[in-house]
Amino acid sequence: MSHNVPRTRWYRIIVPILIACIISFMDRVNISFALPGGMDQELGITSQMAGVVSGIFFIGYLFLQIPGGRIAVHGSGKKFIAASLTAWAVISVATGFVTHEYQLLILRFLLGIAEGGMLPVVLTMVSNWFPEKELGRANAIVMMFAPLGGIFTAPVSGAIISALDWRWLFFIEGILSAIVMMLWWALISDRPEEARWLPEKEREYLLTQLKAEREAREEKVKVSNAPLRNVFKNRGLVTLIFLNFFYQTGDYGYTLWLPAILKNLTGGNMADVGGLAILPFVAMAAGIYVISLFSDRSGKRRLWVCVSLLCFAASLVASVVLRHHVVAAYIALVVCGFFLKAATSPFWSIPGRIASAEAAGAARGVINGLGNLGGFCGPYLVGVMINFYGHNVAIYALSVSLLIAAVLSVTLPKQCDIQPDDEAVNHPGKGVAASNR
């Protein structure tokens, strides 16, 4: 039985991946604290340009999505992420020396390129290590990088900016990237068969279980020699691309402007804003875990993606409706945090269910890359809306984007959910019993 199998994979694989992802999140969102923390005034950055600076990261983010997914399937995700961490360190330190907004734009674009393969690589690595019945929870823990990164980044960024200035924020986080790269190289392995530290019982269980699941999927999904073309022929994968675009528009529109929204709501200084930003990220961690449990136990991936997106949109609207009651509006923003990343665990469990392993590796890159164009559109949309119509209309626009994503989730194929016959792979006894009824 699997409950007697050692669980070494949970801390030797998930922990290094989680730490590396936290660093990527910090490097991605520290600009949201630096801008209202003095960078905008020192470099003469308007709200519209702030939206471009925040979002241009996601244009660069496109370039390594598909290569990253393919490298993780056929090559070494370990080497890819080690190189990425080194690049993040150099770019972060260089950002601390900028003297003009165009220098900042170039460095943010380059950071996007350097981080571009991160998510498809780590998600593929996780799928190499965890059977279907564990995959939702494993993905959920990895997705904790966003709330944990936020919990750490918010108060530390506020404190660094208040005590020193915004430039030191980039210097310190660049040094952290270099330290994490050394830890990553010492701890991680790409696949169970390559890990000398893995107990034999755990290795045998993983190789047997993962092989059985792969063979079961390949009976349902034809393997193609052209996985990239196959992505755009698969209606479910194309729907995931559009869904992720509208989801990330709302996600990063909220995340990258949260410090500015809180500052506008409360009128506090950056240290106060950093403290207030902690609770939404704490709620985010809870939301990811709770929704992943519901998703794994019910097998209804589509339902929990939809519920999470609808609740996120409703909470954003509530934060505007309640704006004259600061405490109530802040509570609504915390509820936003709960549902902000809650959809990610069931969402990223879907590609491997509707495509072959090879196609799924490329698909994760395409879905994440094209979908994350919303990471450009969201912050830019908010910047433009704030400039012309104010914060409230900007938040309503993000809510509409999330509603569109929720509608798209309903149109995903039934194959996205765990079907009764899948139990024959994960629980052979149950599968036999079910087939006899």
Side-chain angles (χ1 to χ4, degrees):
M1 295 295 291
S2 62
H3 61 267
N4 293 324
V5 175
R7 297 171 61 82
T8 317
R9 61 196 178 281
W10 287 95
Y11 60 87
R12 280 297 298 260
I13 297 301
I14 293 298
V15 172
I17 285 177
L18 180 60
I19 292 172
C21 289
I22 287 172
I23 293 298
S24 77
F25 184 83
M26 291 173 61
D27 287 345
R28 187 178 309 180
V29 304
N30 55 16
I31 193 76
S32 67
F33 288 89
L35 282 167
M39 176 187 275
D40 55 354
Q41 293 182 351
E42 187 171 337
L43 302 183
I45 297 174
T46 64
S47 63
Q48 250 181 296
M49 179 57 74
V52 176
V53 166
S54 298
I56 198 170
F57 169 96
F58 294 98
I59 303 298
Y61 199 64
L62 278 171
F63 286 82
L64 293 180
Q65 293 295 315
I66 296 170
R70 286 177 169 168
I71 287 169
V73 171
H74 299 292
S76 175
K78 173 180 179 175
K79 293 178 181 178
F80 186 96
I81 299 301
S84 297
L85 282 161
T86 303
W88 305 345
V90 172
I91 293 169
S92 182
V93 171
T95 303
F97 290 105
V98 297
T99 56
H100 194 279
E101 61 187 21
Y102 292 112
Q103 295 171 350
L104 181 60
L105 284 171
I106 291 169
L107 287 170
R108 291 293 297 177
F109 176 76
L110 292 176
L111 182 64
I113 294 176
E115 287 197 18
M118 178 74 182
L119 194 59
V121 167
V122 299
L123 288 172
T124 301
M125 290 178 74
V126 170
S127 71
N128 289 340
W129 278 92
F130 292 88
E132 181 70 37
K133 62 184 177 181
E134 299 175 346
L135 189 58
R137 281 165 289 163
N139 282 339
I141 295 173
V142 170
M143 291 302 170
M144 290 287 183
F145 78 84
L148 291 175
I151 289 167
F152 183 75
T153 302
V156 170
S157 296
I160 290 173
I161 291 171
S162 295
L164 301 168
D165 63 25
W166 61 268
R167 294 183 184 277
W168 276 99
L169 180 61
F170 295 100
F171 295 151
I172 292 170
E173 291 183 4
I175 293 169
L176 279 176
S177 295
I179 294 171
V180 170
M181 189 279 290
M182 291 184 283
L183 291 174
W184 170 270
W185 192 255
L187 294 175
I188 204 77
S189 295
D190 284 299
R191 299 168 184 86
E193 54 267 37
E194 299 172 9
R196 296 180 180 178
W197 44 263
L198 191 65
E200 190 58 36
K201 187 174 182 180
E202 188 172 3
R203 187 196 315 275
E204 182 180 348
Y205 161 73
L206 290 174
L207 293 179
T208 301
Q209 188 72 21
L210 291 168
K211 181 181 178 182
E213 291 178 0
R214 183 169 58 251
E215 290 174 350
R217 281 195 300 269
E218 288 174 356
E219 288 180 3
K220 300 176 182 179
V221 183
K222 291 183 179 180
V223 179
S224 170
N225 291 324
L228 181 56
R229 187 169 69 244
N230 216 32
V231 170
F232 294 101
K233 288 183 177 180
N234 187 314
R235 185 181 68 83
L237 294 177
V238 172
T239 302
L240 288 176
I241 293 171
F242 284 102
L243 192 164
N244 199 35
F245 171 82
F246 288 106
Y247 180 19
Q248 298 309 319
T249 296
D251 181 332
Y252 282 103
Y254 170 88
T255 302
L256 292 171
W257 281 93
L258 179 60
I261 291 170
L262 288 172
K263 190 173 184 181
N264 180 67
L265 180 67
T266 65
N269 59 35
M270 287 310 299
D272 294 334
V273 167
L276 289 171
I278 294 175
L279 200 51
F281 288 109
V282 172
M284 192 193 305
I288 291 172
Y289 190 72
V290 169
I291 298 301
S292 74
L293 283 179
F294 288 148
S295 173
D296 274 359
R297 289 176 180 176
S298 68
K300 298 182 184 300
R301 308 298 196 196
R302 296 174 301 166
L303 171 66
W304 290 107
V305 169
C306 183
V307 168
S308 300
L309 293 169
L310 289 175
C311 292
F312 184 9
S315 303
L316 277 175
V317 172
S319 72
V320 176
V321 172
L322 299 170
R323 65 188 179 277
H324 298 301
H325 307 278
V326 175
V327 174
Y330 176 66
I331 291 171
L333 290 173
V334 173
V335 176
C336 284
F338 183 91
F339 291 105
L340 179 66
K341 296 287 187 182
T344 55
S345 174
F347 179 90
W348 287 113
S349 299
I350 290 174
R353 295 197 56 77
I354 58 178
S356 66
E358 188 176 4
R364 291 184 185 99
V366 176
I367 293 165
N368 194 48
L370 295 181
N372 269 283
L373 283 176
F376 172 80
C377 294
Y380 183 69
L381 176 66
V382 171
V384 170
M385 290 291 184
I386 288 175
N387 191 51
F388 288 102
Y389 306 108
H391 280 79
N392 299 332
V393 174
I395 293 173
Y396 283 135
L398 297 180
S399 301
V400 171
S401 183
L402 291 167
L403 287 174
I404 295 171
V407 170
L408 287 171
S409 70
V410 177
T411 70
L412 288 166
K414 292 182 180 179
Q415 191 181 350
C416 297
D417 297 333
I418 297 176
Q419 305 299 321
D421 59 333
D422 293 328
E423 294 296 310
V425 174
N426 289 327
H427 302 285
K430 289 184 181 180
V432 172
S435 66
N436 289 333
R437 285 197 293 267

